[in-house]
Amino acid sequence: MSRVIVVTSGKGGVGKTTTSASISAGLALKGFKVAVIDFDVGLRNLDLIMGCERRVVYDFVNVVQGEASLNQALIRDKRIKNLYILAASQTRDKDALTQEGVEKVIEDLKADGFDFIICDSPAGIEKGAQLALYFADEAIVVTNPEVSSVRDSDRILGILQAKSKRAESGDEGIVEHLVLTRYNPSRVESGEMLSVEDVVDLLNIPLLGVIPESEQVLNASNAGEPVILDTEADAAQAYTDVVDRFLGEEKAHRFLTAEKKGLFKKLFGK
Amino acid sequence: MALLDYLLGQRKKKTANLAKDRLQILLAHERSERHAPEYLPQMRDEILAVISKYVEIDQEQLQISIDEANGFEVLELNLVLPDK
Ligand SMILES: Nc1ncnc2c1ncn2[C@@H]1O[C@H](COP(=O)(O)OP(=O)(O)O)[C@@H](O)[C@H]1O
Ligand SMILES: [Mg+2]
């Protein structure tokens, strides 16, 4: 059975693409066949984060409009077996995707035996974001511990619950998961940042994981490697835990507390 | 400076609490709007039509919502009439 997962947030720049790349890579590393689709028409970026930007020949819109076959457009990842990327179109207008076209692509991927189809949503709550979530079975809501991100996550939850295929057909609703990213435990401890408990309390959905603010994320995107592959990095380990929990494993949450600073450091700076 | 920051930091207000309080109020409000009954927009239009028969009003000025308060469902209507 294939599972369609949308990675969504409402607000832009919170870490959807970073999360899509790492979760897709993590699931493929576990042996699953994974396709990750960039729904951000006009603002293609997933290819860069995955390091396959020079191998994009055909894109999602080409497939939807019948100008290329799905097989021609799927880019096979060079590092990880069973991982495929479908790039967004860079030039077309946002209306180039249709609901029927998206449905056909997802159905074809299911028929091709993909275990997971990860939909990297564009920002916003309008058409692009709604198309990305429409066919989802599960949603990973990416949130930063910050007021506008929490508010936008709540709005996207409203859309998941009202405007998805599952909601409209009266089926069981989309399964919701929270991934809290760019978490800075020391700022939480000093009372300057919403804590993970605060955000869970506010959004009231199950927590899949917390990804710490990490310098390695920038290094990974510079190199075009999903950060999960940088196994030493705390963000990578946190994403690995997310993948394990997503697959049903029980795992304690990590990286929630600040490294203890000695009194000397506290008094005299970093 | 770090020493000063450290000592001052002890007394600084916790902005995270402020954020949580504000969000709690805002999300409750936005959720109640989302869960508003389907007939609300049409009811709003009809109420507007009735009021417009008697006074000239700015359509945007009518706020209408259904909230829950103390176990009761409350229909709240807010309209500022223009000065004559
Ligand atoms: N855990 C993290 N730590 C530090 N920076 C991060 C983290 N997650 C994402 N970022 C950075 O945030 C920015 C936006 O991330 P991106 O995944 O492109 O967001 P979105 O797809 O939601 O717009 C990027 O510059 C990325 O490197
Ligand atoms: Mg993105």
Side-chain angles (χ1 to χ4, degrees):
Chain A
M1 259 291 280
S2 317
R3 287 156 80 181
V4 180
I5 296 133
V6 62
V7 179
T8 186
S9 69
K11 189 171 156 71
V14 297
K16 289 179 294 296
T17 299
T18 304
T19 299
S20 299
S22 278
I23 290 182
S24 308
L27 287 168
L29 284 171
K30 295 265 175 185
F32 294 103
K33 191 172 174 189
V34 181
V36 56
I37 308 178
D38 190 346
F39 272 79
D40 209 340
V41 174
L43 280 174
R44 168 200 293 172
N45 264 328
L46 181 69
D47 56 335
L48 258 184
I49 301 302
M50 302 285 296
C52 64
E53 71 279 3
R54 296 181 54 190
R55 295 195 289 135
V56 180
V57 181
Y58 294 111
D59 59 51
F60 195 11
V61 171
N62 292 136
V63 178
V64 163
Q65 303 204 331
E67 296 155 352
S69 72
L70 188 52
N71 276 333
Q72 286 176 307
L74 281 175
I75 304 166
R76 177 199 289 267
D77 189 89
K78 285 230 163 115
R79 295 155 299 225
I80 307 167
K81 225 180 123 214
N82 287 334
L83 177 59
Y84 294 82
I85 298 115
L86 185 54
S89 160
Q90 187 64 297
T91 49
R92 308 291 188 94
D93 69 298
K94 285 190 163 43
D95 294 324
L97 289 182
T98 60
Q99 198 169 77
E100 298 72 37
V102 172
E103 181 167 33
K104 173 101 182 20
V105 168
I106 288 178
E107 288 310 315
D108 288 351
L109 288 169
K110 286 181 179 174
D112 276 352
F114 279 91
D115 299 298
F116 292 101
I117 300 159
I118 314 284
C119 306
D120 180 17
S121 175
I125 55 171
E126 299 303 324
K127 195 180 165 216
Q130 293 194 14
L131 259 183
L133 67 79
Y134 190 74
F135 296 101
D137 301 307
E138 302 186 45
I140 292 178
V141 177
V142 179
T143 308
N144 293 163
E146 178 269 322
V147 283
S148 52
S149 174
V150 172
R151 177 202 213 164
D152 290 355
S153 291
D154 197 66
R155 297 186 68 187
I156 209 76
L157 283 166
I159 290 172
L160 286 164
Q161 291 155 11
K163 297 199 169 159
S164 60
K165 186 170 182 216
R166 277 174 175 266
E168 285 176 0
S169 65
D171 286 349
E172 240 172 272
I174 292 180
V175 180
E176 299 158 350
H177 308 274
L178 174 64
V179 169
L180 188 60
T181 75
R182 311 202 67 163
Y183 196 67
N184 185 332
S186 71
R187 300 199 76 182
V188 171
E189 279 163 30
S190 64
E192 297 173 283
M193 183 180 269
L194 290 166
S195 70
V196 55
E197 292 82 7
D198 290 338
V199 178
V200 170
D201 215 28
L202 287 160
L203 292 178
N204 201 20
I205 62 172
L207 179 68
L208 188 60
V210 180
I211 313 299
E213 173 78 23
S214 160
E215 289 174 5
Q216 295 316 313
V217 173
L218 181 60
N219 286 323
S221 67
N222 286 340
E225 288 208 344
V227 67
I228 196 170
L229 299 180
D230 181 5
T231 49
E232 298 285 295
D234 50 4
Q237 295 168 16
Y239 273 122
T240 303
D241 288 355
V242 161
V243 170
D244 289 340
R245 284 190 208 104
F246 188 75
L247 293 171
E249 241 179 88
E250 293 255 349
K251 278 210 152 176
H253 291 280
R254 297 193 272 169
F255 315 112
L256 300 185
T257 50
E259 276 174 57
K260 285 281 166 285
K261 274 193 186 177
L263 183 64
F264 182 83
K265 274 193 178 168
K266 263 188 186 160
L267 295 182
F268 299 105
K270 304 203 179 201
Chain B
M1 272 331 261
L3 176 60
L4 195 62
D5 285 345
Y6 175 66
L7 294 174
L8 285 175
Q10 302 293 300
R11 280 189 285 119
K12 228 189 270 161
K13 199 139 135 243
K14 303 282 189 259
T15 56
N17 291 339
L18 219 69
K20 188 176 185 190
D21 293 345
R22 291 172 61 216
L23 279 168
Q24 251 160 352
I25 294 165
L26 179 68
L27 296 192
H29 177 72
E30 290 186 340
R31 281 173 195 158
S32 78
E33 279 188 351
R34 276 209 302 269
H35 295 286
E38 263 175 55
Y39 58 73
L40 203 65
Q42 179 160 8
M43 188 168 85
R44 181 179 190 279
D45 287 348
E46 289 176 23
I47 291 173
L48 265 175
V50 172
I51 297 173
S52 311
K53 282 211 288 204
Y54 302 94
V55 270
E56 216 172 287
I57 51 163
D58 176 359
Q59 308 251 323
E60 297 296 301
Q61 288 289 324
L62 178 68
Q63 284 168 15
I64 177 166
S65 66
I66 295 185
D67 277 320
E68 236 185 57
N70 309 322
F72 291 101
E73 282 217 274
V74 182
L75 172 67
E76 207 175 279
L77 255 160
N78 243 305
L79 176 67
V80 181
L81 294 175
D83 348 307
K84 266 276 139 73

